[in-house]
Amino acid sequence: MVSGSAPPPLSKSKKRLILFATILGSAMGWLDGTVVNVALPQIQRALHAGAAEVQWVMNAYLLFLGALLLLGGAAGDRYGRRRVFLTGVVIFTLASIACALSPDARLLVVARAVQGIGAALLTPASLALLSANFPDNERGQAIGLWAGLGAVTAAAGPLVGGWLVDQVSWRAIFFINVPLAVGTIVLTLVATPESRDPGAKHLDAPGAVLCAVSLGLLTWGLTVAGSQGFHSMWVLAVIAAGVLGGALFALVEARSKSPMLPFALFKSRDFLATNLLTLLLYFALSGALFFLPFELIRIHGYPAAAAGAAILPFPLVMGALSSLTGRLSDRIGPRWFLAAGPVIAGAGLALLGWAAGQSSYWTGVFPAVLTIAIGMTLAVAPLTTTVMSSVPQEHAGAASGINNAVSRIAGLLAIAAMSLIFSAVFDHVLQPLLDALHTPAELRPPRGSALTVDFGGHGDVMFKSSERSAFHRAYTLVMLLAGGCAAAGGVLAGVFVKDRKAQVDKVQGGKAPEGGASDH
């Protein structure tokens, strides 16, 4: 099939298999974006990793995923979405096996980076395959199922991963990708036709390199600043180089004949607004889900499986209601879903901060997670559908790549920036408390080590109480920050996203909206 033409007359069973294939393949990327969180404390102990190495187990994956998603989307348009999707699945699976067999933290970080490369190919291609094979009147429901079941997988990851960590080993969380990959490959080969953009002639290698380098420098600088502080000229120089690299990337993209970041797509107000919403919403969610397992495991003593089960309301709610949300969004327009959902999710994130220190799950964590789940369920399917509907069909791969890149880059920056804020607040609150206890310097945790402190490792009750108090202050602040970011995204969407219901009605009545799929 050629992109830009009507989808082929596929049978319902074929379309169902295509949907299952894209969900199963994307599930690997979504799963590894969350399943590692609950395993980090055990990985840290087993591999004797420091605070920075723990962050890089997450950041290496997010860095290469975020930096190369744009290139992955463009590659799918150029070489074929099915081909690029399958290539990404194979790379991701081999890297997962390497992660499981890693003997030390450095090799694990390298393998996680390769996982990110594979995910950068398969993720945008999966969504582009849906757009290419489902007509307009079915696309919202299909993307709703894709987004909803993907969110179920991502949110269920900590539960599955926690059980594997407790019962088997942290290494088992990477081996579970192998059967998922086999199923994905079989379904894709059997049911999925190839599609591409005939106008895509070249790939933007200079842009890909600049994007990866600039993000890497910025992330590394923010991560190291947690222990060295911003007074270090080396840290400031690295961060400045990352910002300069980002400016050069924008310049190269503006002048490229085949940019992986086509700025013309941002002429669509819906596309611009929904990507800004994506940035704020996933910055908030990724930061919160990074810190929640540390609160539950280190402070409250949850086993890894219990920490994963703590967010079980999230996948249950999203799995049950995302398809319905997608259908309702198609009927009445996405604007108010995109406004209300992030505000509700933001309230849930703020509730997590308010619940810091509460020992009861049912009065502390549960109401917050349930509120986040309701908000994200309202937002995710309409957000994805609006992104894909706001640009011409031939740019489906690029649009998918951009939006996925924004969400992953948001997660990358959230972990780096919020870890920096968390450590700074922890140190700022803890030091006066220890001064009051006349705690000798050799017993004090080093600065920037908030995420590696063993809260059960000291016999002095007042010392442990001081550390817990500092941890809760820092945890509360980052959760409130996350809630504010999510709510700000909802306000932005309510103001700037157009109500597309009238345009959908025209399409269903046989009249295309002016300007095609793009809402310029």
Side-chain angles (χ1 to χ4, degrees):
M1 189 197 83
V2 177
S3 291
S5 62
L10 297 174
S11 65
K12 288 185 178 180
S13 60
K14 274 286 184 77
K15 286 189 284 189
R16 191 177 298 117
L17 291 176
I18 292 171
L19 179 60
F20 288 160
T22 58
I23 290 172
L24 201 58
S26 300
M28 296 191 296
W30 285 319
L31 192 64
D32 271 48
T34 58
V35 71
V36 177
N37 282 10
V38 295
L40 285 176
Q42 190 177 108
I43 291 173
Q44 183 183 29
R45 288 191 292 267
L47 301 182
H48 308 290
E53 289 175 314
V54 169
Q55 289 183 43
W56 275 108
V57 170
M58 291 296 296
N59 285 348
Y61 175 76
L62 292 171
L63 171 60
F64 281 86
L65 175 55
L68 298 178
L69 267 169
L70 298 175
L71 190 65
D77 288 344
R78 170 66 179 87
Y79 296 111
R81 290 144 188 169
R82 186 178 79 156
R83 178 183 299 176
V84 170
F85 179 67
L86 290 172
T87 301
V89 170
V90 171
I91 292 173
F92 190 92
T93 307
L94 294 176
S96 298
I97 295 171
C99 287
L101 300 177
S102 295
D104 56 51
R106 290 184 178 181
L107 288 177
L108 177 59
V109 168
V110 172
R112 287 281 286 165
V114 179
Q115 266 193 320
I117 295 172
L121 296 176
L122 71 90
T123 303
S126 68
L127 189 52
L129 284 172
L130 289 182
S131 291
N133 290 290
F134 283 81
D136 289 343
N137 62 337
E138 298 178 12
R139 192 174 300 145
Q141 184 176 2
I143 290 178
L145 283 168
W146 179 87
L149 292 178
V152 168
T153 304
L159 174 62
V160 176
W163 183 85
L164 289 172
V165 167
D166 287 339
Q167 302 299 321
V168 186
S169 165
W170 65 266
R171 300 180 186 276
I173 65 175
F174 296 108
F175 279 125
I176 61 176
N177 290 319
V178 176
L180 291 177
V182 172
T184 300
I185 291 170
V186 170
L187 288 175
T188 303
L189 292 175
V190 167
T192 308
E194 186 59 281
S195 64
R196 56 172 54 85
D197 175 11
K201 303 299 182 184
H202 305 286
L203 289 182
D204 182 18
V209 172
L210 278 172
C211 184
V213 170
S214 60
L215 279 174
L217 289 172
L218 186 60
T219 305
W220 188 87
L222 290 173
T223 301
V224 175
S227 57
Q228 297 190 13
F230 284 104
H231 61 274
S232 168
M233 292 302 297
W234 174 247
V235 170
L236 292 176
V238 170
I239 293 175
V243 173
L244 178 61
L248 288 174
F249 168 72
L251 183 62
V252 167
E253 294 304 284
R255 296 184 175 184
S256 174
K257 294 181 179 180
S258 301
M260 67 178 191
L261 181 61
F263 287 118
L265 296 183
F266 290 94
K267 292 179 181 178
S268 164
R269 193 171 82 172
D270 279 2
F271 189 74
L272 175 61
T274 48
N275 276 287
L276 289 174
L277 168 59
T278 300
L279 180 68
L280 291 167
L281 184 59
Y282 283 91
F283 181 94
L285 187 66
S286 299
L289 292 182
F290 177 76
F291 288 103
L292 180 60
F294 285 93
E295 163 79 6
L296 298 178
I297 294 172
R298 288 190 176 277
I299 299 294
H300 295 294
Y302 281 41
I311 62 171
L312 193 56
F314 201 147
L316 292 178
V317 171
M318 291 207 71
L321 300 178
S322 283
S323 180
L324 173 63
T325 303
R327 290 199 302 271
L328 290 175
S329 176
D330 282 347
R331 289 183 182 179
I332 65 177
R335 181 182 180 188
W336 296 113
F337 289 94
L338 298 180
V343 172
I344 294 171
L349 292 168
L351 280 174
L352 276 181
W354 173 80
Q358 290 198 28
S359 57
S360 171
Y361 169 77
W362 295 107
T363 59
V365 176
F366 175 75
V369 173
L370 182 61
T371 304
I372 295 169
I374 293 171
M376 292 299 293
T377 301
L378 290 175
V380 170
L383 172 60
T384 308
T385 305
T386 303
V387 168
M388 300 304 292
S389 300
S390 62
V391 301
Q393 181 60 39
E394 62 267 23
H395 296 305
S400 173
I402 290 170
N403 190 246
N404 276 284
V406 168
S407 67
R408 307 301 178 161
I409 290 170
L412 174 69
L413 295 178
I415 292 173
M418 288 191 179
S419 293
L420 176 62
I421 295 170
F422 189 95
S423 294
V425 174
F426 179 84
D427 293 336
H428 177 75
V429 173
L430 180 61
Q431 296 309 317
L433 295 176
L434 297 185
D435 288 342
L437 295 174
H438 305 291
T439 304
E442 61 270 15
L443 292 181
R444 300 187 183 206
R447 289 186 176 274
S449 62
L451 296 179
T452 60
V453 170
D454 183 359
F455 294 97
H458 300 286
D460 189 282
V461 174
M462 293 300 293
F463 187 97
K464 289 191 292 185
S465 177
S466 297
E467 288 185 323
R468 289 171 181 267
S469 177
F471 189 96
H472 284 146
R473 287 279 294 276
Y475 177 81
T476 299
L477 181 63
V478 297
M479 290 300 174
L480 291 176
L481 173 62
C485 286
V491 172
L492 182 149
V495 173
F496 291 106
V497 172
K498 293 182 179 179
D499 191 342
R500 301 181 65 85
K501 180 180 183 297
Q503 295 182 11
V504 172
D505 289 344
K506 287 181 181 180
V507 172
Q508 292 176 344
K511 182 179 178 182
E514 184 178 352
S518 182
D519 187 19
H520 287 230

